Amino acid sequence: MAPSGPSPFAVVVSLDDLDPGAVLVTASGEIDVATAPRVQAAILAQLDGRPVDVVVDLSAVSFLDSSGISALIRARRRVGEVGGTLRLRNPQPKVRRVLQITGVEQAFVIETG
């Protein structure tokens, strides 16, 4: 039996079924130094100089390091500069705990459920 490693990273952009008009960025796997730039790029690619509401679905993210946190903070700042919003949706308990421990949880609107 092959050892099971971390789930492969992926980031997908679509329209948000729960919030018409918002863009949904769904990440899965680990957001770390190798993958954080791809998450940030996927978010920022949605701006095009206009206000946009972005929801980042973290329900399938198993790991988030400081690079991932930094990418989310930079993206939130940039989205806000053009008049949009960035929300995080359904972070797994381990990921939510990282946001709490680092003190950045209050910088984001976090949706659950």
Side-chain angles (χ1 to χ4, degrees), residues 58-59 61-62 90-101 105:
L58 299 175
S59 62
V61 171
S62 58
N90 295 327
Q92 290 188 18
K94 289 189 298 188
V95 171
R96 180 101 188 228
R97 184 72 179 132
V98 169
L99 296 170
Q100 291 169 338
I101 289 171
E105 181 183 44

Side-chain angles (χ1 to χ4, degrees), residues 13-95:
V13 177
S14 62
L15 295 177
D16 188 355
D17 291 336
L18 298 177
D19 185 0
V23 174
L24 179 64
V25 176
T26 304
S28 61
E30 298 182 350
I31 302 178
D32 57 19
V33 68
T35 59
R38 290 171 50 195
V39 173
Q40 184 177 343
I43 295 167
L44 297 182
Q46 307 313 306
L47 299 184
D48 197 26
R50 60 182 170 75
V52 65
D53 295 324
V54 179
V55 178
V56 181
D57 187 338
L58 299 175
S59 62
V61 171
S62 58
F63 177 80
L64 179 71
D65 75 359
S66 60
S67 300
I69 292 169
S70 184
L72 290 171
I73 290 170
R74 284 191 304 269
R76 183 189 60 81
R77 185 178 311 126
R78 183 68 186 108
V79 169
E81 287 172 357
V82 297
T85 63
L86 187 143
R87 295 171 279 156
L88 305 180
R89 181 177 290 160
N90 295 327
Q92 290 188 18
K94 289 189 298 188
V95 171

